[in-house]
Amino acid sequence: MDNIKVIIEKCTGCKLCVKKCPFGAVELVDKKAVIRDNCNLCGACAEACKSGAIEITRKVIHADLSAYKGVWVFAEQKEGRIMPVTFELLGEGRKLADKLGTELAAVYIGEKTQGIAEELFAYGADKAYIAGSPLMGLYRNEFYARVLTRLVTEYKPEIVLVGATVIGRSLAPSVAARIKCGLTADCTGLEIDTEKKILMQTRPAFGGNIMATIISPNHRPQMATVRPRVMKRIAKQAGRKGEVVTVDPKISAEDAVVEILKIIKPEEQVVDLQEADIIVSGGRGIGKAENFSLIRELAETIGGAVGASRATVDAGWIPSYHQVGQTGKTVCPKLYIACGISGQVQHLVGMQGSDVIVAVNKDPSAPIFNVATYGIVGDLFEVVPLLVKKFKEALK
Amino acid sequence: MNIIVCIKQVPDTAAIQLVRINPQTNTLVREGIPAIINPFDENAIEEGLRLREKYGGEVTVLSMGPPQVEKALKDAIAMGADKAVLLCDRAFAGADTLATSYTLACAIKKMGNYDLLLFGKQAIDGDTAQVGPGVAEHLGIPQVTFVRKIEIENQTIRAERTLEDSFELVEAKLPILVTVTKEMNTPRYPSLKGMMKAKAAQITVWGLQDIDADPNRVGLTGSTTQVIKIFTPEMRKKGEILRGEPDQMAEALVGKLRDSKVL
Ligand SMILES: Cc1cc2nc3c(=O)[nH]c(=O)nc-3n(C[C@H](O)[C@H](O)[C@H](O)COP(=O)(O)OP(=O)(O)OC[C@H]3O[C@@H](n4cnc5c(N)ncnc54)[C@H](O)[C@@H]3O)c2cc1C
Ligand SMILES: Nc1ncnc2c1ncn2[C@@H]1O[C@H](COP(=O)(O)O)[C@@H](O)[C@H]1O
């Protein structure tokens, strides 16, 4: 079993370990370090200790993992259209597969299957498992989880990547629980440890305040979800060939435990914020619901989607699916324009991955300026209409 | 209707700025950060209470964590929950989402006799959203995630599931596991009576033996993932504050965005 122990004689009571522990799991009792129950053996304390007083032993499991080969990407679709995050995962999966000297496969589950494999090959897949059924056009957890679990059990991939979308965030944990393998959510970085041939998964924790690198050394497959727009797709190579494996889903209508009665479209056309290239967001500074028209106009002018801070959602000025931030959506567009948003940390964690951030705020000390690529200190009611005008001229 | 709500105690995000790593010494400042009930779990408790008010039955809150989690459970009782169970055992410590969901599932199995399991859509410390779906799988019951509205009639639930750009109305038989978003409701404040009740309440504490769990599948031992490194993210570099009159700034911004090919 994994273990951590303090060698009392060596401990000088310097408290470095206490400070370094991200989980608050080390305390000083009688001037000696004591490890508490909530320790999860991340090793930060042992690394910090100058006198070598903290010892971590990790169990070595000689499970035979060699049967597991290949990198898989779950190819998410909506109405038969492959979602962009799939291509991004294929781009990343291609890199990982090449590093491991193995193949890259995509798993597609849906109703329409025509032309799907070709598209997956064009973006880097060597193989495509295609499971088609009229019962699987829409996402149904029990069907999708069953099919993916069966495929993984049968073909034994070493890595499985899934988009951190509404679908992926239900499917991946269901499959991981069925297989009893590790799953790391919302990775922002994936790397192969070439020596050990394992996947190093890096993700933010504690609201983006720290980053953690996570491995799953003794279980296969190594599963990870990745948010849309975090990874780069590779250029499409039309005509690229691969192998198609047609999968019999082996499901029947009687097995449906959750019936989908209907899809409710919101009154207004909603753009998927996580997929948007440009987002213009409004905060409490816009003053009232009607003033969102200003934000909308700027967004329309530059072909962007409308985002919002929680303050405006709480005030009822705009529906919650526009909310960006810790309890809203995490976005990483090419351009994020924040108007009248102060930039509290819960908002920042949702948008600081954007390529370029523009902030318009009349308070020069607003924290949003700490992350803004370009800051405009000014009254948004004056600045935003000017931006609309200038962009219109420039884009003409 | 018997409802079990799973809640997690997390550091208060409003104070999380304090958790900022001190850039000089690269250490975490964690003193004085209050622990709260995960905000989405408050919505789950609230929904449980509303359903109980409508259909009768009991709301039990369940949490796994160190002894101080009793506070979160007492807060839930103050809101109106009937009973609380804390899973607390050295053996449970260091669990990843797989081990956590297995442990919660064992406890829920032991409680038995439930119609509805309510979870928050995700916990704000780890943001994984993995524990709810995991528990449903371990129990072998259906699940609906990211739900903003539920209605129950004749042991049948209708739920509105939030998708990226729309909502899905689904129907299923109970028992089922549902993870809830904050649109679902506004959590109530504890009443005076509730607070009195919480003060006197006995929290049931269960360890490994009490829930018939496989010791190899809980805690650190049962975890499939390992944290091997923790580091400070690279801070975004502070950018440029544009100068001049509003229209000069607007002009300059448009120019810069065009030059850098953002537009
Ligand atoms: C558990 C928890 C989760 C949270 N999750 C989220 C989340 O997901 N997303 C989120 O956004 N927040 C979240 N918050 C809330 C967050 O802490 C802030 O309260 C919120 O982001 C503030 O929104 P705001 O910037 O619009 O409003 P304010 O902080 O009030 O800022 C308004 C800004 O507008 C500026 N302003 C005013 N008038 C003008 C004008 N005429 N021209 C230009 N500027 C003007 C002001 O200078 C000010 O900086 C969360 C909080 C908690 C506790
Ligand atoms: N230790 C725990 N005890 C009880 N419930 C938990 C625990 N961890 C997670 N949960 C539940 O699972 C949900 C999702 O958590 P997470 O998967 O950690 O994002 C939370 O909103 C809680 O309802």
Side-chain angles (χ1 to χ4, degrees), chain A residues 282-285 308-312 323-328 340-344 346-347 360-363 366 378-381, chain B residues 12-14 39 124:
Chain A
R284 189 162 14 219
S309 74
R310 171 158 158 184
T312 63
Q323 186 184 317
V324 172
Q326 183 166 42
T327 44
I341 293 179
S342 58
Q344 295 308 313
Q346 294 93 350
H347 189 80
V360 182
N361 195 307
K362 66 180 182 191
D363 173 9
D379 186 342
L380 73 92
F381 295 102
Chain B
D12 186 356
T13 50
I124 56 168

Side-chain angles (χ1 to χ4, degrees), chain B residues 109-126:
Chain B
K109 243 185 229 158
K110 160 144 186 186
M111 292 177 189
N113 187 30
Y114 55 84
D115 302 290
L116 181 65
L117 303 180
L118 292 173
F119 282 68
K121 78 161 177 148
Q122 67 199 63
I124 56 168
D125 54 349

